[in-house]
Amino acid sequence: MPIDLSETLVVGISATALFDLSEADKVFREKKAEDPETAIIEYREYMLQHENEPLNDGTGMPLVKALLGLNKHQAEGGKNPIVEVVVISKNSPETGFRVLKEIRRRGLAITRSAFTAGEPSSDYLEAFYVDLFLTTDEKDAQSVVDSKVCAGAIVKEPPRSSYELRDDQVRFAFDADAVLFSEDSELINQTEGLDKFWETEDLQKEVPLQEGPHANLLKKLSKIQERLPGRIEYSPVRLAIMTARNSPAEMRVINTIREWNVYIDQAFFLGGLQKSRFLKAFKPHIFFDDQDSHLDTASLDVPSAKVLYPSDSPLKKVFEEKEANKLMQSTANDSAD
């Protein structure tokens, strides 16, 4: 009988998002810069020499541990887990052996993995039924976004703060536009200004927003809430929206969530206030946003991940043009000095 994962949340994660492999990665990059021909051999030797040394947590570890903890709520006799985590790494099986040993050492309930020896990890996500893929590799993350196979994001470095995250809940925080919802509204904001954005959102408050790259993930999380015991208001899966929207642009968000039949525990319409202040209070196991201006501060305190724009995104082009203009202006100012 084939395995049915249609009601299971499947999270794919790279080895470097699960564990801190920055030292090993540094060794490989240095060796590659010195001699590309022998770099992989020396990297293999390095990993073999250190394979019995424990690894520190990567950015995705708190989320993985909390998600796997949800399986304790699985109904007796149930065949399909509530959550499954799959490690999908560009290491070879030999160099990835250290990762498998660390998973065993910690007793993590991760049974499926793939080691692709340099081939893009993203090529195998559909085969594993992945709903969310977390990686440190921008090319892999971009491929996921462009393929629309699942939600994908690049994790930032682990937070520097020592905030304790709850182990009896899993807490997700999402930005709104270009993450849960399409980039259409944000495009108006960036090209026509905030007043036009407010006017448009108020006029269309009854019109649901189009789905963004993490919409299906949110809907899958809603289904997981339904599988868990107890009232949804007390579910161990907690969902929050952290958006720069404020009145009169907030009603459309709420109406869209209602249209999707998704229960959101908390929504923050911040109107330009710094998101990191509220994230420190909410303490999510992961925060998804599309803009570095929000992530750079948030990632200091909470595990954070960047949602990339599709390669053909008009919004991406707008931001690239703005950055280019800033650089030109800065260069011109330096020349004038």
Side-chain angles (χ1 to χ4, degrees):
M1 180 180 292
I3 296 173
D4 179 14
L5 295 174
S6 60
E7 294 187 356
T8 297
L9 174 68
V10 182
V11 175
I13 187 165
S14 71
T16 53
L18 184 61
F19 299 116
D20 182 1
L21 289 165
S22 56
E23 185 178 340
D25 183 58
K26 180 182 177 182
V27 168
F28 177 69
R29 286 187 282 107
E30 288 176 351
K31 298 297 183 184
K32 190 174 181 180
E34 293 171 4
D35 186 356
E37 294 296 323
T38 63
I40 190 62
I41 297 172
E42 294 189 45
Y43 175 70
R44 185 186 302 121
E45 291 175 352
Y46 174 88
M47 292 297 279
L48 291 172
Q49 290 169 5
H50 293 80
E51 69 178 25
N52 291 319
E53 296 177 10
L55 292 166
N56 292 325
D57 288 356
T59 305
M61 179 60 76
L63 176 67
V64 165
K65 288 169 66 177
L67 283 173
L68 290 174
L70 293 177
N71 286 330
K72 67 185 178 186
H73 299 291
Q74 187 173 348
E76 188 175 347
K79 295 181 179 180
N80 302 316
I82 295 171
V83 174
E84 173 163 304
V85 175
V86 184
V87 173
I88 307 176
S89 169
K90 290 203 291 187
N91 275 294
S92 68
E94 187 176 30
T95 57
F97 190 63
R98 185 182 183 189
V99 172
L100 295 178
K101 291 189 76 170
E102 184 66 15
I103 289 171
R104 292 283 188 91
R105 188 185 72 82
R106 291 174 178 240
L108 296 173
I110 298 174
T111 62
R112 291 191 172 95
S113 57
F115 296 91
T116 67
E119 289 189 5
S121 306
S122 54
D123 291 351
Y124 300 93
L125 301 182
E126 190 169 16
F128 275 114
Y129 302 97
V130 170
D131 298 299
L132 167 67
F133 182 56
L134 298 176
T135 181
T136 58
D137 188 303
E138 184 169 349
K139 288 184 179 179
D140 266 354
Q142 189 67 62
S143 178
V144 172
V145 171
D146 291 341
S147 69
K148 300 181 181 179
V149 168
C150 67
I154 307 172
V155 296
K156 295 286 188 176
E157 291 185 5
R160 298 176 190 171
S161 67
S162 56
Y163 285 101
E164 289 294 326
L165 300 175
R166 296 185 61 157
D167 57 10
D168 61 335
Q169 293 182 348
V170 185
R171 301 170 78 87
F172 287 82
F174 296 92
D175 180 33
D177 297 291
V179 177
L180 291 179
F181 313 122
S182 76
E183 62 184 45
D184 297 351
S185 296
E186 181 62 20
L187 189 60
I188 292 174
N189 180 32
Q190 293 296 327
T191 57
E192 301 184 53
L194 190 56
D195 287 341
K196 182 64 176 178
F197 168 79
W198 279 336
E199 178 188 349
T200 303
E201 295 306 294
D202 195 30
L203 288 172
Q204 298 190 46
K205 59 180 176 290
E206 303 296 334
V207 180
L209 289 152
Q210 294 297 307
E211 294 183 1
H214 278 49
N216 285 334
L217 172 62
L218 183 71
K219 292 178 181 180
K220 190 64 173 282
L221 288 169
S222 180
K223 290 181 180 178
I224 296 303
Q225 285 178 325
E226 294 172 4
R227 284 189 65 185
L228 296 169
R231 290 173 56 89
I232 196 168
E233 292 86 354
Y234 306 110
S235 172
V237 176
R238 312 293 287 180
L239 307 175
I241 293 177
M242 295 269 180
T243 175
R245 284 174 177 252
N246 60 347
S247 181
E250 83 283 34
M251 298 299 288
R252 194 177 184 191
V253 169
I254 295 172
N255 285 329
T256 301
I257 294 300
R258 286 179 172 177
E259 178 71 18
W260 292 357
N261 195 30
V262 170
Y263 182 82
I264 292 290
D265 297 280
Q266 300 182 30
F268 300 86
F269 300 100
L270 302 179
L273 291 176
Q274 194 175 65
K275 292 181 182 180
S276 61
R277 297 172 62 86
F278 298 87
L279 289 163
K280 281 192 284 188
F282 181 68
K283 297 183 178 66
H285 291 83
I286 193 77
F287 166 55
F288 296 105
D289 203 298
D290 61 304
Q291 295 187 36
D292 287 322
S293 58
H294 300 144
L295 289 163
D296 287 345
T297 51
S299 63
L300 298 176
D301 295 304
V302 301
S304 302
K306 184 176 182 178
V307 179
L308 300 179
Y309 305 120
S311 295
D312 59 355
S313 158
L315 186 58
K316 179 180 181 179
K317 185 177 181 181
V318 167
F319 279 125
E320 287 175 345
E321 289 176 350
K322 287 188 175 185
E323 283 301 313
N325 289 335
K326 282 183 183 178
L327 182 60
M328 289 176 61
Q329 185 62 47
S330 176
T331 302
N333 291 340
D334 289 344
S335 298
D337 291 342

